[in-house]
Amino acid sequence: MSRVSEESGTAAKETTTERIPAALRREQILAAASRVFGERGYSGATTDQVAQAAGISQPYVVRMFGTKENLFLEVVARALDKLITTFRVVLAEPQPAGDDDADSLVARLGAAYVDLIEDRGILLSLMQAFITGHDPVIGAKAREGFLQIYRMLRDEAGFPPEIIRDFLANGMLFNTLLAIRLPDIFEDDEAAEELMRCAFRGKLDVVLDATGSHASHAMSAPTGTAGTHS
Amino acid sequence: MSRVSEESGTAAKETTTERIPAALRREQILAAASRVFGERGYSGATTDQVAQAAGISQPYVVRMFGTKENLFLEVVARALDKLITTFRVVLAEPQPAGDDDADSLVARLGAAYVDLIEDRGILLSLMQAFITGHDPVIGAKAREGFLQIYRMLRDEAGFPPEIIRDFLANGMLFNTLLAIRLPDIFEDDEAAEELMRCAFRGKLDVVLDATGSHASHAMSAPTGTAGTHS
DNA sequence: GTCTATAGCATGATAGAC
DNA sequence: GTCTATCATGCTATAGAC
């Protein structure tokens, strides 16, 4: 498989030098930055890599956001916002008639979380921010963001601490599995496959799909059993 | 050369220019590197920061390990080894007469994991390696290491996938909370405190102690409000 | 065994043209 | 709105002295 020039929505380098409204370009840069930072982390990513991913020049990236740090902070803020918003949507949905206990809600939130993988940058950028907790500026935002999620699950979803802990724990495991790219060695390693089937529950296909790992693996339990443990 | 000041055990800059056996110096460098890489990550850390933490010159660090990458890989390999060894010790211990089911074993492994925080570098370096999964070399080792842990819990401890998943999930949450330095804002934020009490269970004091967060907080209420699930 | 000096490249950011 | 050129810094790695 040779990847030749042209970009296709999700991840590639642009080539045109069109004049585009600043607001739009800004979005393009943020989207590219989300992917790059998600992959390489704050220190590991360069403004030039972001620029290339967005199809513009490096100085323009800096010009738009002032500093690399600002760009990262904006990426993280967006990711957090998207996550919070996604959860709120689920919380606003009417409880499915059958079992409307906390367990069911946790399951739906979990499923929504997994679906966020559609844009890998969101989950990974957040994770990268958490891991950069030592940084005075980024670290502060990371802590704040993590606690914001915690409070939301407690105050808006009404979960008790233990439920939240388990939910967050599964989220962190999910992020980590994505980071080490476990989906990439699916099938090459029996342990990897077993762990993934178990960790991603009925969402395995969605994950493999989103991560570009050989798509056809269909075997999803219809309604997906993306719940939190038994 | 007149460098003054003094170092003190765990985390400080050495100052003496003594001639020390290579093997020992190697250990000192690895210890320093473990801390530095654990904090800043592979890209974020510099060989000079490691050198200063170890109290020697930057070129000497490189001389000893060839490249920064080699040094990081060695740090990670050691961390993984320590973790595996720690778990094996627990598995070898005789089951406490009372309840010797899987739940009890999981609890003891979890406690042993938390105790590893004594050397923050171990847990954080591993986490940093996981998050660097995009790197061809480091990523490969990270995947391999993660799967090694999984296989051990499955083949040596005899746990079923779901138990392992939950165990690993809690481990990743623990690592993340350490990374964002939640222990540092313990008491400054009610949500942070609540989450920590719940996540660290009866080990809160051990954690606060190891992370240097105002030590005296003793209240490891055996089964108090921090409730340990079922 | 350990240091000083330094080469050489990568990177973030600035200046200014178009 | 976007680029080219470029400065300045920081960093890994090498050379070689003591």
Side-chain angles (χ1 to χ4, degrees), chain B residues 12-215:
Chain B
K13 341 219 158 180
E14 307 285 330
T15 41
T16 34
T17 308
E18 299 179 71
R19 238 179 125 80
I20 289 179
L24 177 55
R25 196 105 259 186
R26 207 184 152 79
E27 295 305 318
Q28 298 180 330
I29 297 177
L30 282 167
S34 176
R35 283 182 259 124
V36 177
F37 279 128
E39 289 285 306
R40 344 276 283 231
Y42 176 63
S43 314
T46 71
T47 53
D48 192 55
Q49 288 167 342
V50 172
Q52 282 184 237
I56 59 179
S57 69
Q58 181 269 330
Y60 193 19
V61 170
V62 176
R63 172 68 72 91
M64 275 286 218
F65 295 85
T67 65
K68 174 184 170 179
E69 186 179 63
N70 279 158
L71 174 56
F72 183 66
L73 289 174
E74 175 106 20
V75 164
V76 174
R78 295 264 188 134
L80 183 64
D81 201 66
K82 176 73 177 178
L83 178 61
I84 295 285
T85 298
T86 297
F87 281 172
R88 289 225 167 95
V89 168
V90 174
L91 291 178
E93 283 169 1
Q95 295 281 82
D99 50 7
D100 60 340
D101 51 21
D103 246 32
S104 155
L105 185 52
V106 168
R108 279 181 297 130
L109 284 172
Y113 187 79
V114 174
D115 283 336
L116 282 176
I117 201 195
E118 175 92 23
D119 178 349
R120 283 165 102 241
I122 296 174
L123 267 18
L124 292 179
S125 288
L126 270 177
M127 198 62 186
Q128 293 288 176
F130 295 151
I131 221 67
T132 313
H134 68 93
D135 182 283
V137 182
I138 297 173
K141 293 289 186 185
R143 277 184 283 284
E144 211 175 282
F146 200 97
L147 290 175
Q148 192 185 336
I149 297 171
Y150 178 82
R151 288 202 200 84
M152 167 183 216
L153 293 171
R154 185 189 59 179
D155 306 333
E156 296 179 46
F159 296 138
E162 291 72 28
I163 295 291
I164 304 178
R165 178 196 59 207
D166 290 344
F167 182 77
L168 292 177
N170 272 284
M172 293 308 106
L173 173 60
F174 184 71
N175 293 347
T176 305
L177 295 183
L178 274 188
I180 64 174
R181 303 198 173 186
L182 212 60
D184 287 358
I185 58 175
F186 180 76
E187 281 191 331
D188 296 344
D189 185 292
E190 57 87 18
E193 183 173 341
E194 189 174 76
L195 173 54
M196 284 182 61
R197 282 189 193 288
C198 177
F200 301 154
R201 278 111 173 185
K203 292 282 194 174
L204 222 200
D205 52 337
V206 175
V207 175
L208 290 177
D209 223 75
T211 54
S213 310
H214 23 225

Side-chain angles (χ1 to χ4, degrees), chain A residues 2 17 30 35 43 94 98 104 123 133 148 151-152 171-172 228:
Chain A
S2 53
T17 308
L30 282 168
R35 284 181 257 125
S43 313
S104 155
L123 267 19
Q148 192 185 334
R151 287 203 201 83
M152 166 182 217
M172 294 307 108
T228 343

Side-chain angles (χ1 to χ4, degrees), chain A residues 32-162:
Chain A
S34 176
R35 284 181 257 125
V36 177
F37 280 128
E39 289 285 307
R40 342 276 283 229
Y42 176 63
S43 313
T46 71
T47 53
D48 191 56
Q49 288 167 343
V50 171
Q52 283 183 236
I56 59 178
S57 69
Q58 181 268 330
Y60 193 19
V61 170
V62 176
R63 173 66 74 91
M64 274 285 218
F65 296 85
T67 64
K68 173 183 171 181
E69 186 179 63
N70 278 159
L71 174 56
F72 184 67
L73 290 174
E74 175 106 21
V75 164
V76 174
R78 295 264 188 135
L80 183 63
D81 201 65
K82 175 74 176 177
L83 178 61
I84 295 284
T85 298
T86 298
F87 281 171
R88 288 225 169 94
V89 168
V90 173
L91 290 178
E93 283 170 1
Q95 296 281 82
D99 50 9
D100 61 341
D101 50 23
D103 246 33
S104 155
L105 184 52
V106 168
R108 280 181 296 130
L109 285 172
Y113 187 78
V114 174
D115 283 337
L116 282 176
I117 203 196
E118 174 92 22
D119 178 348
R120 283 165 101 239
I122 295 175
L123 267 19
L124 291 178
S125 287
L126 270 176
M127 199 62 186
Q128 293 287 177
F130 295 152
I131 222 67
T132 314
H134 68 93
D135 182 284
V137 182
I138 298 173
K141 293 289 186 185
R143 278 184 284 284
E144 211 176 281
F146 200 98
L147 291 175
Q148 192 185 334
I149 297 171
Y150 178 81
R151 287 203 201 83
M152 166 182 217
L153 293 171
R154 185 191 58 180
D155 307 332
E156 295 179 46
F159 296 138
E162 292 73 28

